[in-house]
Amino acid sequence: MKAAKKVLDYVTRFEYAIMVITFVAMVICYFISVVNRNIIKDSMPWTEEIAMYSMIYLALLGTEVGLRDGTQVAVTAVIDKLHGIVKKIVALIKQIVVVVFSFIMLSAGYQLFAKQLQLGQTTPVLKIPMAAMYFSLVLSFGLIFLVQIITLIEDLINLPKKEAEAS
């Protein structure tokens, strides 16, 4: 369990570092864009491109943070009405669905990433390889899969302990 906690701590620090960098890049680029449009009366398309791709990374990594912390939007009306072992089983099924979905998205994201590596397509303005943009899917759903599988394993290990406490 300590190894899993250590992995989750490293993942969290890594995610937050990327999110801070992308957020700062996005804000700076949008600020430059607004100043250029309103004061200098010139456009700088590279600012829009960096801001958009930063936002993509930020949103996808934010999805993982929300899932891990439980702060994402969720409809819990049915689960809130359940009690005991039924509630725990439904929660485990929900966790399994998230793991399976994240694995499917990771596989699909990897296929898109690999295809972009083959094609060598670049972004319109900065000529950054599009594979770097599609890597956001691989990174975010890979992290979602890793964190959610660790959470599922911990929940399965702790299930008998929770049952003993409830009795």
Side-chain angles (χ1 to χ4, degrees):
M1 282 309 176
K2 286 189 177 189
K5 186 150 183 74
K6 203 172 217 180
V7 168
L8 290 178
D9 287 343
Y10 285 127
V11 167
T12 301
R13 281 192 225 129
F14 175 71
E15 283 175 331
Y16 287 161
I18 292 174
M19 291 176 74
V20 166
I21 291 166
T22 55
F23 181 75
V24 169
M26 183 180 69
V27 169
I28 289 170
C29 286
Y30 278 134
F31 178 76
I32 291 169
S33 181
V34 168
V35 168
N36 277 327
R37 240 183 288 124
N38 294 320
I39 298 172
I40 302 171
K41 306 285 187 215
D42 192 19
S43 84
M44 295 179 118
W46 63 269
T47 59
E48 297 290 329
E49 195 168 279
I50 291 174
M52 179 176 60
Y53 294 133
S54 295
M55 190 181 310
I56 290 168
Y57 269 87
L58 191 61
L60 287 170
L61 289 173
T63 300
E64 195 289 311
V65 172
L67 281 170
R68 183 190 54 228
D69 297 346
T71 56
Q72 82 285 359
V73 175
V75 178
T76 60
V78 173
I79 293 177
D80 290 344
K81 297 211 185 290
L82 301 175
H83 300 286
I85 191 72
V86 175
K87 185 173 187 172
K88 291 177 178 110
I89 290 171
V90 171
L92 284 174
I93 291 169
K94 177 198 78 135
Q95 191 69 24
I96 291 168
V97 168
V98 170
V99 167
V100 169
F101 176 76
S102 63
F103 181 76
I104 291 168
M105 291 302 295
L106 172 60
S107 299
Y110 179 77
Q111 289 173 2
L112 287 169
F113 171 70
K115 187 70 170 172
Q116 286 301 319
L117 280 175
Q118 276 182 331
L119 294 174
Q121 184 179 6
T122 60
T123 60
V125 178
L126 294 174
K127 303 300 182 205
I128 299 169
M130 283 301 292
M133 302 314 127
Y134 282 97
F135 183 71
S136 64
L137 294 169
V138 176
L139 178 64
S140 60
F141 283 105
L143 291 173
I144 290 171
F145 178 73
L146 175 68
V147 170
Q148 295 303 313
I149 200 86
I150 289 171
T151 304
L152 176 62
I153 291 168
E154 286 177 340
D155 288 350
L156 288 171
I157 290 170
N158 292 330
L159 187 62
K161 294 176 189 174
K162 290 178 184 174
E163 277 302 306
E165 291 172 3
S167 300

